[in-house]
Amino acid sequence: MKDQTPRYRQIAIAIRERIADGTYPAGSALPSESDLAEEFGVTRPTVRQGLADLRAEDAVMVISGRGMFVRDPELVALRRERNVAWGMASREAARAERAEDVLRRVVSLAEVLHRAGNVDLAERLRAIVLSDPGE
């Protein structure tokens, strides 16, 4: 059965494996697109598409006029962990901000109810909002 994986993905996988096994160590230049195209028996656009996958996952970087270089996988992993942590922190902050906004709205509603003469309902809402959730 023939491999259904597109050629550009096969190229990206092969280069990723070479990075992992040390064939292309961190900081080293990758072979040119022409050399890779010849090695894999494909066109340069196919190689370019495979390299684009590696760039998208931050495995390699381009230095204009110099070529494509392997990033340090440990630094890439640390950067990803940091970005995930920051993303989680910002989501938590957004959730807390939304919760505070909801509480402010409920307190405002309680004030409106109180002014409209629904004192009991207003007091119950205030008690719920101001109570300790652990109680």
Side-chain angles (χ1 to χ4, degrees):
M1 186 164 159
K2 187 177 178 195
D3 186 357
Q4 298 296 321
T5 306
R7 289 295 289 155
Y8 76 92
R9 285 223 171 98
Q10 292 176 23
I11 292 166
I13 291 166
I15 294 172
R16 198 177 298 114
E17 287 171 353
R18 292 174 186 177
I19 291 170
D21 72 15
T23 302
Y24 301 141
S28 68
L30 293 180
S32 69
E33 288 179 2
S34 297
D35 290 343
L36 290 169
E38 185 178 327
E39 176 187 345
F40 289 101
V42 296
T43 62
R44 284 182 57 202
T46 302
V47 169
R48 196 172 297 130
Q49 196 173 4
L51 294 174
D53 280 3
L54 295 171
R55 285 180 70 186
E57 63 192 45
D58 221 14
V60 297
M61 66 180 172
V62 173
I63 299 177
S64 185
R66 304 263 336 260
M68 189 165 293
F69 295 83
V70 177
R71 290 191 183 269
D72 183 334
E74 290 180 18
L75 292 178
V76 171
L78 287 172
R79 187 179 304 123
R80 279 192 192 122
E81 288 175 19
R82 179 202 63 199
N83 291 344
V84 167
W86 284 358
M88 288 172 46
S90 64
R91 284 192 298 275
E92 289 300 318
R95 262 190 225 113
E97 192 173 307
R98 283 192 302 272
E100 288 175 14
D101 185 51
V102 168
L103 292 177
R104 278 193 293 275
R105 290 175 185 212
V106 171
V107 168
S108 294
L109 175 61
E111 290 171 6
V112 169
L113 289 169
H114 191 267
R115 282 195 299 267
N118 293 317
V119 177
D120 289 340
L121 182 55
E123 290 306 316
R124 283 190 287 174
L125 279 175
R126 278 195 194 100
I128 290 169
V129 169
L130 299 175
S131 68
D132 184 356
E135 292 180 352

